[in-house]
Amino acid sequence: MIARISSLGALDGALRGGTVAIGNFDGVHLGHQAVLEAARAAAARDGTPLLVLTFEPHPRAVFTPDRAPARITPAPMKAEILGALGFQAVVEMPFTLEFAALSADQFIDDVLVGGFGVRHVVTGFDFHFGARRQGGPAFLMEAGTTRGFDVILVDAERDTDIHVISSSRIREELAAGRLDHANTLLGYRYRVRAPVVRGERLGRTLGYPTANMALPDETPLAHGIYAVRFIRPDGAIHDGVASFGRRPTVTEDGAPLLETFVFDFDGDLYGEEAAVCLVAFQRGEEKFDDLDALIAQMKRDEATARATLDAIAPLSPLDATLTFGA
């Protein structure tokens, strides 16, 4: 289990003198994974602890809260993925106006040297830090030379069309229902996690009982029907088909809800905090004339999802861990 640390004062002495990857890493997508892999290689070469430094909340949520980006991976999910990549700890530095006011030199002296006792710093080529973003890559490399740590800068990762892979692109793909594109850029199947809550139990009367999950309002996910993997807290994996949306056939003003029909399962899931891995987007949300038409479509959705899930393979070793439990 990866350690989640909210202050440098809580950093165990055994984790000092390590290799530290720095960034927001929202989504932990393939571009981020290039940075993280460079950190992992440096730590393996020199036998150092392997850590991530990230910031909570996202800096834009502090400076421009009305334009803060939707989170692809909230902090607990991000930590889970970083753990699957082999990191020992993530320091979730509280990002406040006071922290943002630190000069670039203070960031290096107080955080990297004094806090981490860092040996290697690994980050993206465009990393800036300190008040008014006064510190950049050249500043960081010079500071490393004078203060005794190594700096590794990683170039942007690009897709097959030579476009830079970014968190904002992935948010756009998810919101547009282009889940396959988003998953390709992530390098694993997009996933959400939430407690299973009680709903109106209509699905049970229709022959499709569902595990209902209320997702954060800002979740960047198109309303519609998805083939999914449902993962319980004990690691048990079940295939299913899920609807995310407002249920227009049965209600006029429903709040967005993720409702998963778990295949071949009969049990009580209420209260469990489960993960849902979204494998394929099947269709957009629709309003049907009556419940009979809705049920007929649900049967078609189930058949499509079963066929899709029977044929899937891991996108990557990380996806094998997250989606297949390998």
Side-chain angles (χ1 to χ4, degrees), residues 137-157:
F139 187 101
L140 183 63
M141 296 184 74
E142 182 179 352
T145 300
T146 59
R147 292 167 173 86
F149 60 85
D150 181 38
V151 176
I152 301 170
L153 299 176
V154 180
D155 200 359
E157 193 77 3

mmCIF file of all heavy atoms in Angstrom, residues 137-157:
data_model
loop_
_atom_site.group_PDB
_atom_site.id
_atom_site.type_symbol
_atom_site.label_atom_id
_atom_site.label_comp_id
_atom_site.label_asym_id
_atom_site.label_seq_id
_atom_site.Cartn_x
_atom_site.Cartn_y
_atom_site.Cartn_z
ATOM 1 N N PRO A 137 12.886 25.197 -15.430
ATOM 2 C CA PRO A 137 13.837 24.082 -15.565
ATOM 3 C C PRO A 137 15.297 24.487 -15.383
ATOM 4 O O PRO A 137 16.047 23.804 -14.685
ATOM 5 C CB PRO A 137 13.560 23.581 -16.988
ATOM 6 C CG PRO A 137 12.143 23.954 -17.245
ATOM 7 C CD PRO A 137 11.936 25.263 -16.554
ATOM 8 N N ALA A 138 15.711 25.599 -16.011
ATOM 9 C CA ALA A 138 17.120 26.016 -15.885
ATOM 10 C C ALA A 138 17.453 26.369 -14.436
ATOM 11 O O ALA A 138 18.525 25.998 -13.921
ATOM 12 C CB ALA A 138 17.402 27.198 -16.807
ATOM 13 N N PHE A 139 16.543 27.073 -13.774
ATOM 14 C CA PHE A 139 16.720 27.439 -12.366
ATOM 15 C C PHE A 139 16.851 26.178 -11.514
ATOM 16 O O PHE A 139 17.714 26.091 -10.626
ATOM 17 C CB PHE A 139 15.525 28.275 -11.916
ATOM 18 C CG PHE A 139 15.652 28.868 -10.543
ATOM 19 C CD1 PHE A 139 16.004 30.203 -10.381
ATOM 20 C CD2 PHE A 139 15.409 28.110 -9.413
ATOM 21 C CE1 PHE A 139 16.113 30.760 -9.106
ATOM 22 C CE2 PHE A 139 15.519 28.654 -8.142
ATOM 23 C CZ PHE A 139 15.868 29.984 -7.992
ATOM 24 N N LEU A 140 15.985 25.203 -11.773
ATOM 25 C CA LEU A 140 15.992 23.962 -10.993
ATOM 26 C C LEU A 140 17.296 23.198 -11.197
ATOM 27 O O LEU A 140 17.890 22.686 -10.229
ATOM 28 C CB LEU A 140 14.796 23.103 -11.411
ATOM 29 C CG LEU A 140 14.594 21.793 -10.664
ATOM 30 C CD1 LEU A 140 14.322 22.038 -9.177
ATOM 31 C CD2 LEU A 140 13.425 21.004 -11.278
ATOM 32 N N MET A 141 17.769 23.122 -12.420
ATOM 33 C CA MET A 141 19.009 22.381 -12.693
ATOM 34 C C MET A 141 20.212 23.070 -12.052
ATOM 35 O O MET A 141 21.093 22.406 -11.499
ATOM 36 C CB MET A 141 19.194 22.223 -14.198
ATOM 37 C CG MET A 141 18.111 21.379 -14.849
ATOM 38 S SD MET A 141 18.371 21.070 -16.611
ATOM 39 C CE MET A 141 19.706 19.879 -16.544
ATOM 40 N N GLU A 142 20.243 24.389 -12.095
ATOM 41 C CA GLU A 142 21.344 25.116 -11.445
ATOM 42 C C GLU A 142 21.295 24.908 -9.936
ATOM 43 O O GLU A 142 22.340 24.708 -9.286
ATOM 44 C CB GLU A 142 21.263 26.595 -11.786
ATOM 45 C CG GLU A 142 22.410 27.406 -11.192
ATOM 46 C CD GLU A 142 22.337 28.884 -11.561
ATOM 47 O OE1 GLU A 142 21.494 29.236 -12.396
ATOM 48 O OE2 GLU A 142 23.123 29.665 -10.994
ATOM 49 N N ALA A 143 20.076 24.936 -9.370
ATOM 50 C CA ALA A 143 19.945 24.711 -7.935
ATOM 51 C C ALA A 143 20.398 23.301 -7.559
ATOM 52 O O ALA A 143 21.027 23.095 -6.513
ATOM 53 C CB ALA A 143 18.500 24.922 -7.509
ATOM 54 N N GLY A 144 20.095 22.335 -8.404
ATOM 55 C CA GLY A 144 20.546 20.978 -8.132
ATOM 56 C C GLY A 144 22.058 20.875 -8.102
ATOM 57 O O GLY A 144 22.635 20.171 -7.256
ATOM 58 N N THR A 145 22.721 21.589 -9.002
ATOM 59 C CA THR A 145 24.182 21.567 -9.037
ATOM 60 C C THR A 145 24.779 22.142 -7.760
ATOM 61 O O THR A 145 25.757 21.611 -7.206
ATOM 62 C CB THR A 145 24.681 22.368 -10.256
ATOM 63 O OG1 THR A 145 24.174 21.774 -11.455
ATOM 64 C CG2 THR A 145 26.200 22.391 -10.315
ATOM 65 N N THR A 146 24.191 23.235 -7.248
ATOM 66 C CA THR A 146 24.755 23.892 -6.067
ATOM 67 C C THR A 146 24.302 23.244 -4.758
ATOM 68 O O THR A 146 24.996 23.375 -3.743
ATOM 69 C CB THR A 146 24.373 25.376 -6.054
ATOM 70 O OG1 THR A 146 22.941 25.501 -6.038
ATOM 71 C CG2 THR A 146 24.929 26.086 -7.276
ATOM 72 N N ARG A 147 23.172 22.544 -4.777
ATOM 73 C CA ARG A 147 22.641 21.994 -3.530
ATOM 74 C C ARG A 147 22.735 20.474 -3.451
ATOM 75 O O ARG A 147 22.284 19.868 -2.485
ATOM 76 C CB ARG A 147 21.189 22.441 -3.336
ATOM 77 C CG ARG A 147 21.044 23.959 -3.067
ATOM 78 C CD ARG A 147 19.591 24.354 -3.214
ATOM 79 N NE ARG A 147 19.270 25.702 -2.833
ATOM 80 C CZ ARG A 147 19.373 26.761 -3.629
ATOM 81 N NH1 ARG A 147 19.862 26.624 -4.856
ATOM 82 N NH2 ARG A 147 19.004 27.960 -3.195
ATOM 83 N N GLY A 148 23.258 19.866 -4.487
ATOM 84 C CA GLY A 148 23.611 18.450 -4.372
ATOM 85 C C GLY A 148 22.541 17.458 -4.760
ATOM 86 O O GLY A 148 22.527 16.334 -4.234
ATOM 87 N N PHE A 149 21.648 17.819 -5.676
ATOM 88 C CA PHE A 149 20.704 16.800 -6.181
ATOM 89 C C PHE A 149 20.686 16.829 -7.707
ATOM 90 O O PHE A 149 21.043 17.820 -8.342
ATOM 91 C CB PHE A 149 19.301 17.002 -5.608
ATOM 92 C CG PHE A 149 18.649 18.323 -5.909
ATOM 93 C CD1 PHE A 149 17.959 18.535 -7.100
ATOM 94 C CD2 PHE A 149 18.699 19.367 -4.984
ATOM 95 C CE1 PHE A 149 17.350 19.748 -7.375
ATOM 96 C CE2 PHE A 149 18.083 20.593 -5.251
ATOM 97 C CZ PHE A 149 17.410 20.784 -6.449
ATOM 98 N N ASP A 150 20.259 15.720 -8.261
ATOM 99 C CA ASP A 150 20.216 15.536 -9.704
ATOM 100 C C ASP A 150 18.834 15.932 -10.218
ATOM 101 O O ASP A 150 17.828 15.758 -9.519
ATOM 102 C CB ASP A 150 20.493 14.053 -10.010
ATOM 103 C CG ASP A 150 20.485 13.755 -11.490
ATOM 104 O OD1 ASP A 150 20.963 14.586 -12.257
ATOM 105 O OD2 ASP A 150 19.987 12.677 -11.867
ATOM 106 N N VAL A 151 18.765 16.464 -11.428
ATOM 107 C CA VAL A 151 17.482 16.849 -12.037
ATOM 108 C C VAL A 151 17.325 16.105 -13.356
ATOM 109 O O VAL A 151 18.225 16.127 -14.204
ATOM 110 C CB VAL A 151 17.399 18.367 -12.271
ATOM 111 C CG1 VAL A 151 16.102 18.723 -13.000
ATOM 112 C CG2 VAL A 151 17.493 19.117 -10.953
ATOM 113 N N ILE A 152 16.190 15.445 -13.518
ATOM 114 C CA ILE A 152 15.851 14.754 -14.766
ATOM 115 C C ILE A 152 14.586 15.397 -15.317
ATOM 116 O O ILE A 152 13.542 15.410 -14.648
ATOM 117 C CB ILE A 152 15.621 13.256 -14.524
ATOM 118 C CG1 ILE A 152 16.876 12.610 -13.928
ATOM 119 C CG2 ILE A 152 15.211 12.552 -15.820
ATOM 120 C CD1 ILE A 152 16.663 11.193 -13.435
ATOM 121 N N LEU A 153 14.671 15.960 -16.525
ATOM 122 C CA LEU A 153 13.526 16.578 -17.178
ATOM 123 C C LEU A 153 13.031 15.660 -18.292
ATOM 124 O O LEU A 153 13.832 15.132 -19.066
ATOM 125 C CB LEU A 153 13.911 17.946 -17.756
ATOM 126 C CG LEU A 153 14.406 18.991 -16.750
ATOM 127 C CD1 LEU A 153 14.852 20.253 -17.496
ATOM 128 C CD2 LEU A 153 13.324 19.329 -15.738
ATOM 129 N N VAL A 154 11.726 15.490 -18.360
ATOM 130 C CA VAL A 154 11.124 14.567 -19.318
ATOM 131 C C VAL A 154 10.283 15.361 -20.305
ATOM 132 O O VAL A 154 9.445 16.185 -19.906
ATOM 133 C CB VAL A 154 10.267 13.514 -18.600
ATOM 134 C CG1 VAL A 154 9.631 12.553 -19.607
ATOM 135 C CG2 VAL A 154 11.119 12.743 -17.589
ATOM 136 N N ASP A 155 10.484 15.108 -21.584
ATOM 137 C CA ASP A 155 9.750 15.816 -22.633
ATOM 138 C C ASP A 155 8.287 15.376 -22.656
ATOM 139 O O ASP A 155 7.925 14.323 -22.114
ATOM 140 C CB ASP A 155 10.388 15.533 -23.988
ATOM 141 C CG ASP A 155 10.023 16.583 -25.037
ATOM 142 O OD1 ASP A 155 9.257 17.515 -24.702
ATOM 143 O OD2 ASP A 155 10.473 16.449 -26.190
ATOM 144 N N ALA A 156 7.452 16.168 -23.294
ATOM 145 C CA ALA A 156 6.033 15.845 -23.410
ATOM 146 C C ALA A 156 5.851 14.558 -24.201
ATOM 147 O O ALA A 156 6.567 14.304 -25.170
ATOM 148 C CB ALA A 156 5.283 16.990 -24.087
ATOM 149 N N GLU A 157 4.889 13.746 -23.792
ATOM 150 C CA GLU A 157 4.536 12.518 -24.509
ATOM 151 C C GLU A 157 3.461 12.861 -25.532
ATOM 152 O O GLU A 157 2.535 13.632 -25.263
ATOM 153 C CB GLU A 157 4.021 11.479 -23.514
ATOM 154 C CG GLU A 157 3.908 10.080 -24.078
ATOM 155 C CD GLU A 157 5.248 9.364 -24.182
ATOM 156 O OE1 GLU A 157 6.279 9.938 -23.753
ATOM 157 O OE2 GLU A 157 5.257 8.231 -24.707
#
